[in-house]
């Protein structure tokens, strides 16, 4: 049999993140304000080992396993999806350096991130559209010059951009090999301009900004991997991170379900019985429960595949797609179950809907995930039972 039970260490870690969520995130009333980044909360998340959870112990991080990160993403997603995004982003934003960087690069860029609260960003998206950055092709370019490269272009809607000190940037080498090349760029490099021009529908506790590069010099020593290897580097990072998005979808779905349950226990129908005793209400909770369990099973399987299996891309995209869809469906359903309260700011459900919506967009919208799944699923012979 497949064993789904958590080890003592995993249980302890999950409970630790759950306690952090209950004590530090849920009581906050300032997590839904445009342009307000609750830095004191992130300082506490850093001290609790959450921000550096994905960084191996060798480089001063917490060295949490990939599965433990998935558990943490669910717990934080229960508290606030914006906080979950900014906190767990380290898994994505340090992945390129950790997977493909040299020891020198890891020592210079990763180790300092573990000494004090430091954010980093994964800079792929461009204002002209990012789903096919290779084919379009990317407008951010890296021009070879003596000793390094000159970066020009813009990266838009980048998480943690205005608070980050380090960016991993995907640019087109011109002239150079096809495909993208990955670079590490400090925020204080000459020619880097960071702005926050966005007012987001939700996840307002997460920072999202734009970075413009004006003749930014990047030394050769700060190219990650080889010229033209950026697409491979970026895909490997995002493949792992997408499972985290699915886990955050579980978290927010559980929060919406709990909200509906509490309402159902404290409000009454015409027959005098609590809503929670009415069959239609109970069936809605039952469907939520079943969808949450389906999503958790898929997410954990995807986590295993990304680490060990041959079906990593298919499963990570499946979990990411399902995570967004289920989170949107369950938060919407909870809002209806709360009646008028589901539509009021004071009722929380409307915030959960707004926060959850971006799970279907960032790290690749539905069409992108389905393209990746279809690449495997539509092969003649794929999935046929022998
Ligand atoms: C809050 C937030 C945080 C973000 N954080 C980051 C970050 O940290 N780093 C980063 O790099 N990016 C980040 N993004 C960007 C995000 O990943 C992209 O917005 C997303 O992947 C979609 O890309 P796009 O906006 O360029 O849309 P496009 O690529 O222009 O896509 C627009 C629509 O067209 C559809 N589409 C695209 N190609 C096809 C096709 N071939 N066939 C059919 N339909 C297609 C898409 O599914 C989508 O619905 C963030 C976005 C948001 C909103």
């Amino acid at each position: 049999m497949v064993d789904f039970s958590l080890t003592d260490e995993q249980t302890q870690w999950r409970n630790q993140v759950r306690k952090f969520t209950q004590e530090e995130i849920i009581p906050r009333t300032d997590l839904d304000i445009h342009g307000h980044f609750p830095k004191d909360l992130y300082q506490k998340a850093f001290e609790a080992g959450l921000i550096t959870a994905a960084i191996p112990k060798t480089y001063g991080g917490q060295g949490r396993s990939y599965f433990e990160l998935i558990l943490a993403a669910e717990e934080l997603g229960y508290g606030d999806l914006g906080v979950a995004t900014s906190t767990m982003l380290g898994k994505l934003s340090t992945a390129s350096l950790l997977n493909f960087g040299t020891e020198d690069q890891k020592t210079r860029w990763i180790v300092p991130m573990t000494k004090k609260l430091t954010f980093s960003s994964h800079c792929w998206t461009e204002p002209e559209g990012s789903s096919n950055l290779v084919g379009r092709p990317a407008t951010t370019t890296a021009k070879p010059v003596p000793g390094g490269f000159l970066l020009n272009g813009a990266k838009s809607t980048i998480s943690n951009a205005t608070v980050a000190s380090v960016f991993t940037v995907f640019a087109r080498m011109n002239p150079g090999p096809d495909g993208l090349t990955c670079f590490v760029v400090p925020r204080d490099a000459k020619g880097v301009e960071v702005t926050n021009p966005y007012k987001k529908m939700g996840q307002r506790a997460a920072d999202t900004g734009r970075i413009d590069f004006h003749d930014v010099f990047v030394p050769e020593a700060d190219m990650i991997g080889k010229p033209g290897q950026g697409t491979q580097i970026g895909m490997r990072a995002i493949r792992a991170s997408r499972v985290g998005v699915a886990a955050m979808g579980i978290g927010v779905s559980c929060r919406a379900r709990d909200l509906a349950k509490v309402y159902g226990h404290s409000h009454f129908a015409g027959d005098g019985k609590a809503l929670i005793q009415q069959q239609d209400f109970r069936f809605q909770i039952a469907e939520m429960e079943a969808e949450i369990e389906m999503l958790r099973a898929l997410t954990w399987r995807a986590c295993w595949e990304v680490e060990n299996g041959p079906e990593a891309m298919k499963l990570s995209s499946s979990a990411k797609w399902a995570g967004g869809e289920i989170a949107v469906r369950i938060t919407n359903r909870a809002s209806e179950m709360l009646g008028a309260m589901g539509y009021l700011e004071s009722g929380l459900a409307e915030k959960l809907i707004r926060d959850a919506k971006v799970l279907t967009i960032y790290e690749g919208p539905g069409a992108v995930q389905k393209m990746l799944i279809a690449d495997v699923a539509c092969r003649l012979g794929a999935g046929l039972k022998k």
Side-chain angles (χ1 to χ4, degrees), residues 88-97 113 119-122 166 168:
M88 298 311 293
L89 190 78
K91 173 66 183 157
L92 175 64
S93 58
T94 59
S96 303
L97 272 164
M113 290 183 199
F119 293 98
S120 52
S121 295
H122 175 89
V166 181
T168 46

Side-chain angles (χ1 to χ4, degrees), residues 92 96 121-136 138-140 154-159 167-171 179-182 211 213 229-238 242 363-364 368:
L92 175 64
S96 303
S121 295
H122 175 89
C123 309
W124 177 277
T125 301
E126 299 184 345
E128 296 82 5
S130 62
S131 295
N132 187 2
L133 209 54
V134 182
R136 191 165 49 77
T139 46
T140 304
K155 295 289 177 181
S156 54
T157 57
I158 302 301
S159 295
F167 305 124
T168 46
V169 184
F170 296 83
L180 303 166
T181 303
C182 186
I211 308 153
F213 302 91
Q229 204 183 5
T231 313
Q232 182 197 354
I233 295 172
M235 287 304 112
R236 179 149 163 213
I238 203 95
R242 280 174 180 152
E363 303 207 8
V368 170

Side-chain angles (χ1 to χ4, degrees), residues 15 90 97-98 104 159 172 185 192 226 246 256 280 295 350 375:
N15 292 347
L97 272 164
L98 289 171
D104 166 61
S159 295
R172 179 165 55 94
V185 181
V192 170
K226 299 190 188 93
D280 180 65
L295 179 57
E350 65 87 32
D375 275 349

Side-chain angles (χ1 to χ4, degrees), residues 325-343:
E325 295 292 318
I326 289 174
V328 166
R329 198 155 54 235
I330 289 184
T331 51
N332 272 280
R333 192 189 276 260
S335 152
E336 287 173 29
M337 292 167 78
L338 265 62
M341 188 54 80
Y343 196 66

Side-chain angles (χ1 to χ4, degrees), residues 126 128 138-145 149-155 169-174 183 185 190-192 210-218:
E126 299 184 345
E128 296 82 5
T139 46
T140 304
T141 55
K143 183 178 160 199
V145 292
F149 307 88
L150 276 188
L151 258 61
N152 277 288
K155 295 289 177 181
V169 184
F170 296 83
R172 179 165 55 94
M173 188 94 76
N174 195 12
F183 301 93
V185 181
K190 192 163 170 266
V192 170
R210 173 184 164 116
I211 308 153
D212 286 89
F213 302 91
H214 310 283
D215 279 338
V216 176
F217 177 74
V218 182

